Amino acid sequence: MTSAEQILDIINKEPSEVSAETTAAFGGELLNSEQYEKAIEYLKFALEITKNKTGNESITVARLYENLAVAYLKIENYGLSATASRKSIRTKRELLLPTNPALAEGLEQLGSIYTLQQRFDEAIPPLEEALELITKIYEEAHPLVASIMMNLARAYAPSGHFDKAKILFSKGIEITKELYGENQPETIH
């Protein structure tokens, strides 16, 4: 029995005793197995349970919003994805220190969602903030630094900031090559 089947078995046997953690875990399993519509149902239910227990001020709430953003992104519902991502960031700002990489990851997620929607001017501020935060946390030769640099370059170029895009993309590729080597999938862009 897979972990998803085990969790579903628990949910079906004792629905009144279902915890947010169990429901969120099942939603995560569905997300990982690319069953996005079902994942959204379970993640929303887990979010409802969690908010009823803890209110909006919980790192679990932030993570659930983040997972919902991914699920909505996978079904190409960019509007709901961006909304969930913004809610995750708002909650993280209230709960986490600015030196927590989870905040930079959330900002990168939001910027990437806007980039996919070709809303480049809206993508730039969260990506710039993410880069500023993450370079204070990690040395420059870190995968998240490279990822944010390349995502910001992807937003800069269509906005006419070609010089900035070229510099950031070159730095991102250089870091990636340094970390993974010349011929790795992470390096080939």
Side-chain angles (χ1 to χ4, degrees), residues 1-16:
M1 183 180 280
T2 67
S3 58
E5 290 169 333
Q6 290 171 337
I7 295 167
L8 184 58
D9 190 45
I10 292 168
I11 292 170
N12 287 334
K13 283 182 183 173
E14 303 172 34
S16 63

PDB file of all heavy atoms in Angstrom, residues 1-16:
ATOM      1  N   MET A   1       0.859  -1.179   0.000  1.00  0.00           N
ATOM      2  CA  MET A   1       0.000   0.000   0.000  1.00  0.00           C
ATOM      3  C   MET A   1       0.907   1.245   0.000  1.00  0.00           C
ATOM      4  O   MET A   1       1.792   1.370   0.827  1.00  0.00           O
ATOM      5  CB  MET A   1      -0.902  -0.039   1.244  1.00  0.00           C
ATOM      6  CG  MET A   1      -1.892   1.084   1.325  1.00  0.00           C
ATOM      7  SD  MET A   1      -2.962   1.044   2.794  1.00  0.00           S
ATOM      8  CE  MET A   1      -4.164  -0.165   2.327  1.00  0.00           C
ATOM      9  N   THR A   2       0.671   2.156  -0.940  1.00  0.00           N
ATOM     10  CA  THR A   2       1.465   3.385  -1.004  1.00  0.00           C
ATOM     11  C   THR A   2       1.108   4.290   0.171  1.00  0.00           C
ATOM     12  O   THR A   2       0.071   4.113   0.822  1.00  0.00           O
ATOM     13  CB  THR A   2       1.197   4.151  -2.316  1.00  0.00           C
ATOM     14  OG1 THR A   2      -0.145   4.631  -2.291  1.00  0.00           O
ATOM     15  CG2 THR A   2       1.446   3.285  -3.530  1.00  0.00           C
ATOM     16  N   SER A   3       1.969   5.275   0.408  1.00  0.00           N
ATOM     17  CA  SER A   3       1.673   6.206   1.509  1.00  0.00           C
ATOM     18  C   SER A   3       0.386   6.971   1.242  1.00  0.00           C
ATOM     19  O   SER A   3      -0.379   7.251   2.162  1.00  0.00           O
ATOM     20  CB  SER A   3       2.845   7.153   1.742  1.00  0.00           C
ATOM     21  OG  SER A   3       3.135   7.874   0.578  1.00  0.00           O
ATOM     22  N   ALA A   4       0.120   7.312  -0.017  1.00  0.00           N
ATOM     23  CA  ALA A   4      -1.125   8.010  -0.356  1.00  0.00           C
ATOM     24  C   ALA A   4      -2.331   7.132  -0.041  1.00  0.00           C
ATOM     25  O   ALA A   4      -3.335   7.605   0.501  1.00  0.00           O
ATOM     26  CB  ALA A   4      -1.133   8.403  -1.820  1.00  0.00           C
ATOM     27  N   GLU A   5      -2.230   5.834  -0.359  1.00  0.00           N
ATOM     28  CA  GLU A   5      -3.334   4.913  -0.066  1.00  0.00           C
ATOM     29  C   GLU A   5      -3.529   4.743   1.439  1.00  0.00           C
ATOM     30  O   GLU A   5      -4.664   4.664   1.915  1.00  0.00           O
ATOM     31  CB  GLU A   5      -3.070   3.556  -0.724  1.00  0.00           C
ATOM     32  CG  GLU A   5      -3.176   3.603  -2.239  1.00  0.00           C
ATOM     33  CD  GLU A   5      -2.671   2.335  -2.913  1.00  0.00           C
ATOM     34  OE1 GLU A   5      -1.792   1.645  -2.333  1.00  0.00           O
ATOM     35  OE2 GLU A   5      -3.145   2.041  -4.011  1.00  0.00           O
ATOM     36  N   GLN A   6      -2.442   4.714   2.191  1.00  0.00           N
ATOM     37  CA  GLN A   6      -2.532   4.601   3.652  1.00  0.00           C
ATOM     38  C   GLN A   6      -3.232   5.818   4.244  1.00  0.00           C
ATOM     39  O   GLN A   6      -4.098   5.691   5.111  1.00  0.00           O
ATOM     40  CB  GLN A   6      -1.139   4.453   4.268  1.00  0.00           C
ATOM     41  CG  GLN A   6      -0.492   3.132   3.975  1.00  0.00           C
ATOM     42  CD  GLN A   6       0.968   3.104   4.423  1.00  0.00           C
ATOM     43  OE1 GLN A   6       1.610   4.133   4.565  1.00  0.00           O
ATOM     44  NE2 GLN A   6       1.471   1.895   4.642  1.00  0.00           N
ATOM     45  N   ILE A   7      -2.863   6.997   3.766  1.00  0.00           N
ATOM     46  CA  ILE A   7      -3.479   8.232   4.267  1.00  0.00           C
ATOM     47  C   ILE A   7      -4.953   8.262   3.906  1.00  0.00           C
ATOM     48  O   ILE A   7      -5.808   8.588   4.737  1.00  0.00           O
ATOM     49  CB  ILE A   7      -2.730   9.470   3.722  1.00  0.00           C
ATOM     50  CG1 ILE A   7      -1.302   9.499   4.276  1.00  0.00           C
ATOM     51  CG2 ILE A   7      -3.463  10.759   4.083  1.00  0.00           C
ATOM     52  CD1 ILE A   7      -0.382  10.471   3.581  1.00  0.00           C
ATOM     53  N   LEU A   8      -5.282   7.891   2.668  1.00  0.00           N
ATOM     54  CA  LEU A   8      -6.684   7.868   2.245  1.00  0.00           C
ATOM     55  C   LEU A   8      -7.483   6.871   3.081  1.00  0.00           C
ATOM     56  O   LEU A   8      -8.619   7.137   3.462  1.00  0.00           O
ATOM     57  CB  LEU A   8      -6.793   7.527   0.757  1.00  0.00           C
ATOM     58  CG  LEU A   8      -8.202   7.571   0.167  1.00  0.00           C
ATOM     59  CD1 LEU A   8      -8.821   8.957   0.349  1.00  0.00           C
ATOM     60  CD2 LEU A   8      -8.165   7.211  -1.301  1.00  0.00           C
ATOM     61  N   ASP A   9      -6.884   5.737   3.419  1.00  0.00           N
ATOM     62  CA  ASP A   9      -7.536   4.736   4.253  1.00  0.00           C
ATOM     63  C   ASP A   9      -7.882   5.325   5.631  1.00  0.00           C
ATOM     64  O   ASP A   9      -8.992   5.140   6.133  1.00  0.00           O
ATOM     65  CB  ASP A   9      -6.629   3.509   4.404  1.00  0.00           C
ATOM     66  CG  ASP A   9      -7.342   2.337   5.050  1.00  0.00           C
ATOM     67  OD1 ASP A   9      -8.491   2.053   4.661  1.00  0.00           O
ATOM     68  OD2 ASP A   9      -6.736   1.711   5.956  1.00  0.00           O
ATOM     69  N   ILE A  10      -6.964   6.073   6.207  1.00  0.00           N
ATOM     70  CA  ILE A  10      -7.212   6.727   7.503  1.00  0.00           C
ATOM     71  C   ILE A  10      -8.352   7.732   7.375  1.00  0.00           C
ATOM     72  O   ILE A  10      -9.256   7.780   8.203  1.00  0.00           O
ATOM     73  CB  ILE A  10      -5.931   7.426   8.011  1.00  0.00           C
ATOM     74  CG1 ILE A  10      -4.871   6.382   8.364  1.00  0.00           C
ATOM     75  CG2 ILE A  10      -6.240   8.319   9.216  1.00  0.00           C
ATOM     76  CD1 ILE A  10      -3.492   6.964   8.593  1.00  0.00           C
ATOM     77  N   ILE A  11      -8.311   8.526   6.322  1.00  0.00           N
ATOM     78  CA  ILE A  11      -9.348   9.544   6.112  1.00  0.00           C
ATOM     79  C   ILE A  11     -10.716   8.893   5.957  1.00  0.00           C
ATOM     80  O   ILE A  11     -11.710   9.357   6.528  1.00  0.00           O
ATOM     81  CB  ILE A  11      -9.005  10.424   4.888  1.00  0.00           C
ATOM     82  CG1 ILE A  11      -7.772  11.286   5.196  1.00  0.00           C
ATOM     83  CG2 ILE A  11     -10.181  11.302   4.486  1.00  0.00           C
ATOM     84  CD1 ILE A  11      -7.204  12.019   4.000  1.00  0.00           C
ATOM     85  N   ASN A  12     -10.798   7.799   5.203  1.00  0.00           N
ATOM     86  CA  ASN A  12     -12.077   7.126   4.976  1.00  0.00           C
ATOM     87  C   ASN A  12     -12.605   6.421   6.216  1.00  0.00           C
ATOM     88  O   ASN A  12     -13.818   6.362   6.429  1.00  0.00           O
ATOM     89  CB  ASN A  12     -11.954   6.127   3.817  1.00  0.00           C
ATOM     90  CG  ASN A  12     -11.855   6.831   2.482  1.00  0.00           C
ATOM     91  OD1 ASN A  12     -12.332   7.939   2.321  1.00  0.00           O
ATOM     92  ND2 ASN A  12     -11.200   6.188   1.529  1.00  0.00           N
ATOM     93  N   LYS A  13     -11.732   5.878   7.053  1.00  0.00           N
ATOM     94  CA  LYS A  13     -12.162   5.142   8.240  1.00  0.00           C
ATOM     95  C   LYS A  13     -12.668   6.062   9.347  1.00  0.00           C
ATOM     96  O   LYS A  13     -13.634   5.744  10.027  1.00  0.00           O
ATOM     97  CB  LYS A  13     -11.014   4.292   8.790  1.00  0.00           C
ATOM     98  CG  LYS A  13     -10.762   3.041   7.992  1.00  0.00           C
ATOM     99  CD  LYS A  13      -9.646   2.241   8.627  1.00  0.00           C
ATOM    100  CE  LYS A  13      -9.337   1.010   7.790  1.00  0.00           C
ATOM    101  NZ  LYS A  13      -8.148   0.314   8.289  1.00  0.00           N
ATOM    102  N   GLU A  14     -11.978   7.177   9.548  1.00  0.00           N
ATOM    103  CA  GLU A  14     -12.320   8.047  10.669  1.00  0.00           C
ATOM    104  C   GLU A  14     -12.374   9.509  10.218  1.00  0.00           C
ATOM    105  O   GLU A  14     -11.548  10.313  10.625  1.00  0.00           O
ATOM    106  CB  GLU A  14     -11.268   7.889  11.773  1.00  0.00           C
ATOM    107  CG  GLU A  14     -11.112   6.469  12.263  1.00  0.00           C
ATOM    108  CD  GLU A  14      -9.926   6.327  13.204  1.00  0.00           C
ATOM    109  OE1 GLU A  14      -9.641   7.275  13.954  1.00  0.00           O
ATOM    110  OE2 GLU A  14      -9.310   5.264  13.188  1.00  0.00           O
ATOM    111  N   PRO A  15     -13.365   9.864   9.403  1.00  0.00           N
ATOM    112  CA  PRO A  15     -13.396  11.230   8.880  1.00  0.00           C
ATOM    113  C   PRO A  15     -13.517  12.297   9.963  1.00  0.00           C
ATOM    114  O   PRO A  15     -13.025  13.405   9.798  1.00  0.00           O
ATOM    115  CB  PRO A  15     -14.604  11.237   7.940  1.00  0.00           C
ATOM    116  CG  PRO A  15     -15.392  10.022   8.276  1.00  0.00           C
ATOM    117  CD  PRO A  15     -14.461   9.050   8.913  1.00  0.00           C
ATOM    118  N   SER A  16     -14.129  11.980  11.095  1.00  0.00           N
ATOM    119  CA  SER A  16     -14.259  12.991  12.149  1.00  0.00           C
ATOM    120  C   SER A  16     -12.947  13.215  12.884  1.00  0.00           C
ATOM    121  O   SER A  16     -12.763  14.217  13.563  1.00  0.00           O
ATOM    122  CB  SER A  16     -15.349  12.579  13.147  1.00  0.00           C
ATOM    123  OG  SER A  16     -14.973  11.379  13.789  1.00  0.00           O
TER     124      SER A  16
END
